[in-house]
Amino acid sequence: METKKKDIRALTKEQLRNFFVERGDKAFRGNQVYEWLWQKSAHTFDAMTNVSKETRQMLEEHFVINHIRVDQMQRSSDGTIKNAVRLHDGLVVESVLIPTETRTTACVSSQVGCSLDCRFCATARMKRMRNLNPDEIYDQVVAIDNESRLYFDRPLSNIVFMGMGEPLMNYNNVLKAIDMITSPEGLGMSPKRITVSTSGVPKMIKKMADEEVKFGLAVSLHSAIDEVRTSIMPFNATFSLADLREALEYWYGKTKSRITYEYVVWEGINDTQEAAEALVKFCRFAPSKVNLIEYNPIDDGEFQQASSAAVDMYQRTLEKNGITVTVRRSRGKDIDAACGQLANKA
């Protein structure tokens, strides 16, 4: 019976070095192969031109490189690019390149589907199939960096984990991917240019704080009133606002890193002065910034963007209380690439 080949990128550098030593070769051969796999993003062993043909054949016999493939690329009228990314087992996730005049941002996925149940999000309506491996997350970033250089003539500048899935429900793989993205042996990006967005998993926020991560944290909040938040994000019944706030206080105490809150204002749900005041109260315990995000419909019309007067009221209330606020307009809506719209429609 044929033995299943192992994905070579599941090995650490040390394991690769040992693999070669055990076969009577030099340890540095592992360094060479590791560089090809990560820094040079080789998709085949034959691409490793400074490695002998015999060694390449030997690697082929033992391992596979489970690289992603961009199956379909769509371009929005505003320049946004959405990739349908096919994984080695045939499943598909989506990632997005968002260009501005000064930078390009990759919005990457961490799960096929999502572990959580936010009622306003298209991805949450999909069944969670599996977590992405570190290399599959890394490859999304490489693909978008290549597109950034090709279409915008500059390297990728920022990464947000705001694609499909809840990153903190795939904690270990997300952190391994970020380690490689920021490593000089990987893409060498600064962790300060990376933001992990969570719907709020208190235990994992505390774990991140204990590990003294250097990337930014964003929280999809959408309401600071428990009953309202539970009605739109049912998991809030398990991870309450009190628990979330305690975890965020712990995060700030450990990292001294400002917290970003993502917040959509919906008509008839959270478009009141009371809701805005509750948000102010929730934000007060640590330096924070609120992004008021334009809502992107997901077909059935249950959730509707609030009036511009309601958004203005939020902005005034936050600013009056000394809280930094930005009103973010959606990008890529015409290709279902905007926030909350990723669901493999293509």
Side-chain angles (χ1 to χ4, degrees), residues 171 175 191 207-216 251 255 257:
Y171 185 88
L175 261 66
K207 186 172 166 67
M208 281 199 302
D210 285 336
E211 295 190 15
E212 297 180 352
V213 299
K214 302 294 185 229
F215 51 78
W251 159 272
T255 66
S257 176

Side-chain angles (χ1 to χ4, degrees), residues 34-57:
Y34 194 80
E35 184 182 356
W36 277 106
L37 293 172
W38 295 104
Q39 210 170 55
K40 297 179 179 176
S41 293
H43 283 187
T44 66
F45 295 113
D46 279 341
M48 301 177 182
T49 49
N50 63 348
V51 176
S52 73
K53 192 173 180 184
E54 293 76 18
T55 300
R56 283 181 266 155
Q57 284 172 339

Side-chain angles (χ1 to χ4, degrees), residues 54-284:
E54 293 76 18
T55 300
R56 283 181 266 155
Q57 284 172 339
M58 184 266 291
L59 289 170
E60 194 83 55
E61 285 163 17
H62 287 85
F63 300 108
V64 289
I65 304 173
N66 284 334
H67 62 84
I68 64 161
R69 189 174 78 242
V70 176
D71 247 14
Q72 184 182 14
M73 187 191 86
Q74 292 173 274
R75 295 193 72 178
S76 165
S77 56
D78 65 20
T80 300
I81 292 173
K82 180 171 80 169
N83 293 326
V85 173
R86 191 164 297 277
L87 310 173
H88 70 92
D89 55 4
L91 295 172
V92 175
V93 294
E94 294 179 339
S95 56
V96 181
L97 187 163
I98 306 157
T100 67
E101 285 182 13
T102 55
R103 64 188 188 180
T104 50
T105 299
C107 175
V108 298
S109 294
S110 56
Q111 296 180 311
V112 186
C114 187
S115 296
L116 300 180
D117 51 7
C118 304
R119 289 177 51 226
F120 50 83
C121 178
T123 309
R125 298 183 177 192
M126 301 168 60
K127 179 181 163 195
R128 188 190 77 80
M129 306 291 285
R130 69 172 175 85
N131 288 333
L132 293 192
N133 296 325
D135 52 284
E136 293 170 326
I137 297 168
Y138 182 91
D139 283 355
Q140 290 175 73
V141 176
V142 171
I144 290 178
D145 181 45
N146 289 338
E147 290 169 346
S148 179
R149 291 169 192 270
L150 178 63
Y151 296 109
F152 301 100
D153 201 27
R154 57 178 183 263
L156 182 67
S157 54
N158 295 76
I159 302 169
V160 293
F161 280 78
M162 295 183 187
M164 298 168 73
E166 166 53 62
L168 298 194
M169 293 293 201
N170 185 17
Y171 185 88
N172 291 336
N173 289 353
V174 165
L175 261 66
K176 281 180 190 169
I178 291 173
D179 282 347
M180 281 311 304
I181 290 163
T182 56
S183 166
E185 296 181 318
L187 298 180
M189 284 189 74
S190 165
K192 293 192 177 351
R193 294 181 173 272
I194 299 173
T195 300
V196 171
S197 176
T198 175
S199 292
V201 186
K203 182 172 80 172
M204 305 318 286
I205 291 170
K206 287 181 175 178
K207 186 172 166 67
M208 281 199 302
D210 285 336
E211 295 190 15
E212 297 180 352
V213 299
K214 302 294 185 229
F215 51 78
L217 174 66
V219 178
S220 291
L221 191 62
H222 309 304
S223 177
I225 299 169
D226 261 319
E227 308 79 66
V228 177
R229 194 167 195 258
T230 300
S231 73
I232 57 176
M233 304 168 84
F235 66 86
N236 186 71
T238 308
F239 306 136
S240 71
L241 284 167
D243 292 341
L244 176 58
R245 178 170 171 150
E246 186 207 350
L248 292 170
E249 283 185 32
Y250 187 82
W251 159 272
Y252 182 72
K254 284 270 189 177
T255 66
K256 295 293 180 274
S257 176
R258 181 173 77 165
I259 301 157
T260 298
Y261 296 108
E262 310 286 355
Y263 199 102
V264 177
V265 187
W266 288 286
E267 187 180 313
I269 294 173
N270 61 351
D271 57 350
T272 63
Q273 185 70 45
E274 179 198 7
E277 297 289 353
L279 175 58
V280 168
K281 191 176 172 187
F282 189 89
C283 289
R284 278 214 165 110

